[in-house]
Amino acid sequence: MNKLPVILIFLFLVSCKAHVEIKIPCHAWLGGPGQATDAELKAQFADLKIKGVDGLMYSAGRDPEVYKRVGKIAREAGLKFYTWIPTLTQNYNPDMKPEWYAVNGIGESAYDRPAYADHYHFICPNRQEIYDYLDELYGQIADIPEVDGIHLDFIRFPDVILARGLWKKYGLVMDREYPQFDYCYCDKCVSDFKAKTGIDIKAVQDPSQVEEWKQFRYDLITNLVNHLAETIHARNKEINAAVFPGPNSIARKIVRQEWDKWNIDAFYPMNYNDFYLEGTKWIGDMCREGVTALNNRKPLYSGLFICPDPGKRASEPDPENHGLLPEELEAAIRESMENGAKGICLFTPERMTGDHWVVFKKAIHMSYARK
Ligand SMILES: [Zn+2]
């Protein structure tokens, strides 16, 4: 038999393989649409797709019609479309009742006395009314054909300890848990915990030392997430979430997220290194911790916080305006991928400068070996 054709076919296949494009999955958190027309959205999404973005976590309020319209355009541009709607922070709206809001350790409600910031109107995750409200909110959006899935955010308690890089901004030293930032001490949470453990948490001198009380609250978040996962999966849609880094080193400790127990389809840890006064190597450490905790059960996308004005970062006092410089972006992507991330997620494409995009384009087409 003449072996030449076989050899030629083999060489052809080898050359095809060499030309398979390497591309890491890239998602992005994005808000909109404001006053943008369909044509403007189409151009915006086409531009993001060309730059290497594969999917959006899209924030556009609560109106299903808006998600239907924007989702159609995003999917026509070849983007995955996940709706990004906060879960446990709810601004005043007619559906909300004051008694549904979370209460801190000194009896103040997040309804009228939110901690830290005006938007910190956290609701209690331990109420049937909240389950019903969120089922309806997310259920009707998951029913939209143009929506690939639901992206949860603020699916947590308020920060009982703020990230180290934010202490100066809020004029706080958070060397331990303080009761004014510790939630939820509403009547239902206190009585449910008493019924479960026999402990009256309001009579305890230092609740931060009661391990059962911590676990009770991790479980409140986990139970709610897993319930919502059933709601969304029953509609054959995906559900994923923005989470704090960890889970064990940070997320559990400061916002009571034990997210390795959540039955969702993908995890987006906000590995915002500047908030923790850390560098790019830390981003890799956080990815490794996350994928290890998940035991590679589900994909993890490394959330990267981009500096919108690199020239001013050094003189900028507000950490919200810090973030990765163009010259740090390649290392941030490399650290994420070498430590097990499935891909990355940008906060946000609108913060990316031209220099960022140049680095990004190169970095997302490189091959990374798992450490
Ligand atoms: Zn409560």
Side-chain angles (χ1 to χ4, degrees):
M1 181 186 153
N2 186 349
K3 285 188 178 158
L4 188 59
V6 177
I7 291 167
L8 285 176
I9 288 168
F10 175 75
L11 288 174
F12 175 74
L13 289 174
V14 166
S15 79
C16 283
K17 193 162 191 293
H19 285 95
V20 169
E21 189 190 37
I22 296 165
K23 161 76 172 63
I24 67 167
C26 302
H27 292 170
W29 283 285
L30 186 68
Q35 301 301 312
T37 63
D38 287 6
E40 286 165 342
L41 290 174
K42 193 175 171 186
Q44 181 190 21
F45 296 160
D47 178 58
L48 288 174
K49 181 70 183 174
I50 286 170
K51 284 172 169 160
V53 174
D54 305 298
L56 299 178
M57 312 289 130
Y58 199 83
S59 169
R62 290 149 196 280
D63 184 351
E65 286 305 314
V66 176
Y67 288 111
K68 188 173 171 59
R69 175 188 158 226
V70 179
K72 182 168 186 288
I73 300 168
R75 298 209 345 190
E76 282 170 0
L79 300 172
K80 283 269 200 179
F81 187 73
Y82 300 98
T83 62
W84 169 28
I85 305 173
T87 311
L88 287 172
T89 49
Q90 297 285 335
N91 284 331
Y92 307 127
N93 73 60
D95 298 328
M96 288 287 120
K97 303 244 182 330
E99 60 269 30
W100 296 355
Y101 284 79
V103 175
N104 67 14
I106 55 173
E108 295 171 335
S109 169
Y111 176 72
D112 53 2
R113 299 290 300 273
Y116 307 117
D118 286 344
H119 66 275
Y120 259 41
H121 296 294
F122 275 83
I123 49 177
C124 171
N126 186 29
R127 302 189 72 102
Q128 187 59 47
E129 299 94 326
I130 295 300
Y131 274 57
D132 295 343
Y133 174 75
L134 293 172
D135 269 347
E136 191 179 337
L137 172 70
Y138 290 130
Q140 65 178 344
I141 287 176
D143 281 337
I144 300 168
E146 290 80 4
V147 166
D148 286 298
I150 300 292
H151 182 64
L152 306 177
D153 192 13
F154 288 97
I155 177 63
R156 61 179 180 88
F157 281 94
D159 328 45
V160 66
I161 307 272
L162 272 184
R164 183 72 181 82
L166 296 171
W167 292 6
K168 203 194 261 180
K169 175 174 178 174
Y170 292 97
L172 295 164
V173 176
M174 307 201 78
D175 50 345
R176 64 178 177 86
E177 294 187 11
Y178 288 95
Q180 62 268 43
F181 306 111
D182 187 24
Y183 294 78
C184 176
Y185 290 78
C186 79
D187 292 345
K188 182 162 193 315
C189 286
V190 170
S191 69
D192 284 3
F193 183 63
K194 176 92 189 292
K196 192 177 167 88
T197 63
I199 300 169
D200 177 3
I201 198 62
K202 280 189 156 176
V204 172
Q205 184 72 23
D206 182 1
S208 73
Q209 300 305 308
V210 180
E211 196 53 43
E212 298 95 321
W213 179 227
K214 289 186 177 164
Q215 188 65 50
F216 177 79
R217 291 174 293 171
Y218 306 152
D219 291 345
L220 290 184
I221 302 293
T222 299
N223 293 343
L224 174 60
V225 171
N226 291 345
H227 170 82
L228 293 172
E230 282 183 21
T231 300
I232 303 308
H233 287 155
R235 290 167 162 83
N236 294 316
K237 293 293 175 77
E238 297 171 55
I239 180 168
N240 51 46
V243 294
F244 272 48
N248 297 315
S249 61
I250 295 177
R252 258 172 34 133
K253 285 184 187 158
I254 76 175
V255 293
R256 314 208 190 279
Q257 288 176 326
E258 200 172 37
W259 50 256
D260 48 320
K261 292 190 176 170
W262 298 0
N263 299 330
I264 59 174
D265 303 302
F267 296 80
Y268 292 74
M270 297 174 277
N271 293 330
Y272 300 169
N273 54 303
D274 274 307
F275 284 29
Y276 301 90
L277 308 179
E278 298 282 357
T280 51
K281 183 181 177 303
W282 173 91
I283 294 173
D285 295 341
M286 289 299 105
C287 287
R288 175 162 294 248
E289 182 185 336
V291 297
T292 303
L294 292 171
N295 200 19
N296 294 312
R297 202 164 41 85
K298 294 290 174 183
L300 178 151
Y301 293 83
S302 181
L304 303 179
F305 194 71
I306 304 298
C307 181
D309 193 348
K312 288 194 184 151
R313 189 176 81 168
S315 60
E316 170 59 58
D318 187 348
E320 305 274 349
N321 293 324
H322 293 177
L324 295 162
L325 303 173
E327 55 268 36
E328 296 171 317
L329 186 56
E330 191 268 342
I333 294 172
R334 173 178 297 282
E335 284 288 348
S336 300
M337 301 308 292
E338 288 183 347
N339 285 286
K342 167 87 172 172
I344 56 115
C345 191
L346 296 172
F347 188 95
T348 65
E350 289 165 317
R351 292 167 72 106
M352 295 272 282
T353 63
D355 289 344
H356 280 109
W357 286 117
V358 170
V359 175
F360 180 79
K361 185 162 187 164
K362 197 168 162 214
I364 63 173
H365 291 292
M366 287 168 66
S367 147
Y368 299 100
R370 177 83 183 267
K371 271 184 189 165

